[in-house]
Amino acid sequence: MTREMHPARWGDPKLAGALPDSTRELVEYAFGVQDRPAVEVVAVPPSALSEEILAELRGIVGVEQVLLDDETRRLRTRGKSTPDLLRARSGDLADAPDAVVRPADHQQVLALIELAQRHRFALVPFGGGTSVTGGLVARRDDVVGVVSLDLIRMKALREVDPISMTAVLEPGLRGPEAEALLAEHQMTLGHYPQSFEYASIGGFAATRSSGQSSAGYGRFDALVVGLEVATAKGTLVLGSSPANAAGPDLRQLMLGSEGAFGVITAVRVRVRALPTVKQYEAWQFPSFADGADAMRLLAQNGQLPTVIRLSDENETALNLASHSNVGGDTVTGCLMVIGFEGTDVEAVAAKRGAVAALLTRAGGEELGAERGEAWVQGRFAAPYLRDALLDAGVLVETLETATFWSKRDEVYQAVRDALVAELGEKALVLCHISHVYETGCSLYFTVAAPGGDEPLTTWLAAKAAATEAMVGHGATVSHHHAVGSDHRPWFAREIGPVGVDILRAVKAELDPAGVLNPGVMIP
Amino acid sequence: MTREMHPARWGDPKLAGALPDSTRELVEYAFGVQDRPAVEVVAVPPSALSEEILAELRGIVGVEQVLLDDETRRLRTRGKSTPDLLRARSGDLADAPDAVVRPADHQQVLALIELAQRHRFALVPFGGGTSVTGGLVARRDDVVGVVSLDLIRMKALREVDPISMTAVLEPGLRGPEAEALLAEHQMTLGHYPQSFEYASIGGFAATRSSGQSSAGYGRFDALVVGLEVATAKGTLVLGSSPANAAGPDLRQLMLGSEGAFGVITAVRVRVRALPTVKQYEAWQFPSFADGADAMRLLAQNGQLPTVIRLSDENETALNLASHSNVGGDTVTGCLMVIGFEGTDVEAVAAKRGAVAALLTRAGGEELGAERGEAWVQGRFAAPYLRDALLDAGVLVETLETATFWSKRDEVYQAVRDALVAELGEKALVLCHISHVYETGCSLYFTVAAPGGDEPLTTWLAAKAAATEAMVGHGATVSHHHAVGSDHRPWFAREIGPVGVDILRAVKAELDPAGVLNPGVMIP
């Protein structure tokens, strides 16, 4: 059985420990601890769907697959942004879906979309429920109700092609499930976002996800060579070839469509041979700028490792404070973690040698494997720490963007300044770069501040200011968290009025009733 | 002054020699020479545009930039497919534009689009005039005339960013002009399609071009990080970051739009350091299948050289027969040419060593540099040979597709069989692979057959059969030649009815009057 997540917390309760003593001390010192336990509410608003609609839903997916109970609906309420958690922690489950429906296959999804068009209820595709941008909160103002389209039964590895090194995966597969099925064929997708343990294949595609190993394996949109999408106009099948000149690349119009154009029911992805060699290590650089320049050097020389990430001075200092048990040496400046994966010891060693030579030339100093391995161990753990910090009254959230190298420092400073201006000088703003390209990079910020009495209001103002800074400085509203409902106003500015017109025209064509994830993505 | 091409011939008349004796002998032996000189016609149909429209055109771009003379219009008639040449050679200039208009900048392009919407005349963007798929032949049935939008005055290198390694180029720049401007900054685009000497930046973007060095520098759509597009709804500016999760990638909707959605007035492209080291060499493989497997091995091991191309048995044999002066050894089986470019001798040597090891492991045998260098020398010359062969009554044309590795042989056989079935056993069908991906490759066919009395009719039937074979076997209608007006019926099948609906919806939104390159790309 696929694990489900509590609406107010991340992940598996067994793994969600209390705040570590060292962190609690830091929090006490920085902000003062203010214990704020979550209010436990189970009852959700009564379902708004008519008996007629429910009967038709049952006719499509079967009686057993239309779930109306409070607990199931509660577990499908919103995603995992800090605002989502804060709302749930305060007992607000107003965004609960009216029903959770579990189709078995593409044909049932098509039928559900047809029904939604006819009866004007919203259909919200649900994979892992890990959205952090309001991607699961449908607007209710023009629909008779909201149905969570849970893809949990669509979990097949439909096909593997070991010659072309592709595989066809269904959208309900969670990250570990997809990797386990591929591993039986000695294959891997190599897609490891922080949400990996819960997030789904359909979600990766619908949101243009990018994983921690993007330098080596590529962003999810670069992995997809084919798509099957259910729309109100019928089925769209794309992917005649790896690349072509047959008109616009419609795959790239469906990737990132966040359920607003249709429901992705299968993706054909490029896979790689399952790595047998994995080497992780850490480096230090005098400053964030030095480390970032080194990353640029690697990217522009075509010498990227599989994983590369660089913490700024603040993040480096805080990591050291909270993980004082790792490594004996003192790290000064900024910490970089790099990792190499492959199937050939010599090829990995050659790559590692070339990377190390460039990093040394760029002023880096090797710190050895221990801190690299420590990162691997903890790579999916951060969201648990957020819950513990929220319990202690600390406002914690992440946000991210991407820009070109020449604007890296400008955007970094602007976003930091905006956050500090809103949250006050006590706010901790950490940053790392974890996705690099020849022409630019991502910037991923982690923010911690005293929650105060109105943490939600406080955060929404800070988030607005930060996003304003991103767009104002020509950067994107999201490198890998998507648009959702949270980024829409700024997204409209990023693509301009003509871009918005295009998206609305496609939406009107594929979803004439406007019921597919309404209020999400399309400005 | 940018060179213009004759409507019935390729390139520079000074470079267009007669058929080499050795080739003429081959032709005589294979098909029998039947000299067929072109009919020289200069007069084009009278311009259909009203004085009112002409006055408005002159108001936008200036009197000097609205050209109506027969010669200018003749030189903007159609593109460079064999059917285009055969029509021109028979004196048919029916598709000549009614006027050639040369805007100076983006604002003038916007104004011309607005005028075209209002008066319902067709606007056909013209860059290098090298389309081989009917991309310059606008449908006349719903418009009052056809205006060739010649981008020849928009030739600026607007900006270079040496940190991000990007450059902003205007659409009228021909390949060599763009490279010359970038070379002043020690940069290169590295985009060398066979049409390089004439084709333009705008055309590369609008048709998703792919160059002979795509393995090293990437397809053109992979080079573009930003776009400025003039549409009937206003200006669209895209490209906030190298990559992002901010909705669908609208850049990939405009790339490949072939003038049907708007006019691309600038592209921001990724550039590379100008290579100082270039090494080309040849290898031989026992068979096409063996060579293709070796290519796949390189691609799937992340060890592609800058250039890689493999001729099948027929193309290898014919190349040897026509270039008997190159190289002393006899080549058996199939010839592969590989090339390495870079700025660091050691890095190039290391790469070459890794590639050579894999090719040897895959059954390849090194032939040395001479045949590799010979390919570099002749890389843009093939279209001249086509003219000489047409003069000798031989029907010559190329067509191409792409597919996944597991379907390579099936698609190769199907296209060959379709061509031979239409053109007869005497037809020569040559093939090479020149663009490879981890998951698949291109297949580029060159066909020669006796022209007979109705070469155009003969070819159109053969082309239809070959394209039918591509789509019937799930491959694309074009890897890098685009859709144009020639591929539309099959393109509709490739993307299916929902895909067609999407394109039509975007077209209706951005070009409500339907006057932007009507009849091109959109099925």
Side-chain angles (χ1 to χ4, degrees), chain A residues 161 240 272 406 438 494, chain B residues 161 219 240 272 406 438 494:
Chain A
D161 176 347
S240 59
R272 296 259 170 86
S406 60
E438 287 182 61
E494 179 170 339
Chain B
D161 177 347
R219 299 168 53 83
S240 59
R272 296 259 170 87
S406 59
E438 287 182 61
E494 180 171 340

Side-chain angles (χ1 to χ4, degrees), chain A residues 102-426:
Chain A
R102 301 179 162 178
D105 56 29
H106 176 80
Q107 289 307 318
Q108 291 188 0
V109 175
L110 277 177
L112 290 169
I113 291 173
E114 187 278 325
L115 190 67
Q117 297 285 319
R118 189 150 41 86
H119 287 289
R120 299 188 68 83
F121 60 81
L123 216 45
V124 181
F126 188 96
T130 61
S131 170
V132 290
T133 57
L136 298 167
V137 183
R139 197 164 51 200
R140 285 186 169 266
D141 45 327
D142 223 19
V143 292
V144 301
V146 173
V147 170
S148 177
L149 184 76
D150 191 340
L151 297 159
I152 199 168
R153 293 169 68 204
M154 295 177 67
K155 282 182 181 282
L157 168 59
R158 281 198 205 163
E159 185 190 325
V160 292
D161 176 347
I163 306 291
S164 310
M165 288 300 276
T166 64
V168 178
L169 298 167
E170 287 192 337
L173 285 165
R174 305 286 177 94
E177 293 168 337
E179 287 293 347
L181 288 171
L182 290 171
E184 291 175 18
H185 301 272
Q186 302 302 311
M187 292 170 169
T188 183
L189 200 50
H191 186 70
Y192 298 103
Q194 193 174 63
S195 59
F196 171 75
E197 294 169 302
Y198 290 89
S200 68
I201 293 294
F204 294 152
T207 63
R208 293 184 170 277
S209 171
S210 192
Q212 293 164 347
S213 310
S214 64
Y217 292 98
R219 297 166 55 80
F220 202 79
D221 52 19
L223 299 182
V224 174
V225 294
L227 282 165
E228 178 187 79
V229 188
T231 79
K233 300 293 287 278
T235 299
L236 177 65
V237 177
L238 298 168
S240 59
S241 48
N244 61 56
D249 191 345
L250 296 178
R251 294 175 295 200
Q252 299 295 333
L253 186 67
M254 292 298 127
L255 294 165
S257 62
E258 301 186 36
F261 292 161
V263 178
I264 295 167
T265 53
V267 291
R268 183 182 295 274
V269 286
R270 178 188 86 197
V271 293
R272 296 259 170 86
L274 196 64
T276 48
V277 188
K278 295 187 183 188
Q279 259 183 264
Y280 283 80
E281 62 190 56
W283 287 65
Q284 70 180 358
F285 285 83
S287 70
F288 193 46
D290 290 322
D293 284 349
M295 288 175 133
R296 180 164 70 86
L297 187 71
L298 291 179
Q300 293 180 349
N301 277 278
Q303 292 288 8
L304 285 174
T306 308
V307 167
I308 185 162
R309 39 198 305 125
L310 171 75
S311 295
D312 73 353
E313 289 82 354
N314 285 348
E315 189 172 285
T316 300
L318 195 80
N319 275 339
L320 291 177
S322 5
H323 298 88
S324 47
N325 54 328
V326 175
D329 308 328
T330 303
V331 180
T332 54
C334 290
L335 188 74
M336 178 186 284
V337 170
I338 57 174
F340 301 87
E341 298 188 0
T343 53
D344 180 302
V345 175
E346 279 178 44
V348 168
K351 181 69 172 249
R352 199 212 155 265
V355 169
L358 284 172
L359 291 182
T360 302
R361 199 173 102 194
E365 195 181 322
E366 209 177 323
L367 295 178
E370 199 179 1
R371 287 179 200 279
E373 297 297 339
W375 174 78
V376 174
Q377 291 308 314
R379 67 196 290 188
F380 306 129
Y384 291 107
L385 183 61
R386 176 177 57 169
D387 287 329
L389 286 165
L390 290 173
D391 288 342
V394 181
L395 185 57
V396 188
E397 179 61 306
T398 63
L399 44 79
E400 41 84 62
T401 182
T403 188
F404 294 99
W405 288 117
S406 60
K407 296 174 74 173
R408 177 191 57 74
D409 191 52
E410 170 192 334
V411 173
Y412 171 75
Q413 292 297 343
V415 174
R416 272 188 57 82
D417 292 350
L419 288 166
V420 171
E422 280 296 329
L423 296 171
E425 290 296 331
K426 274 199 151 182

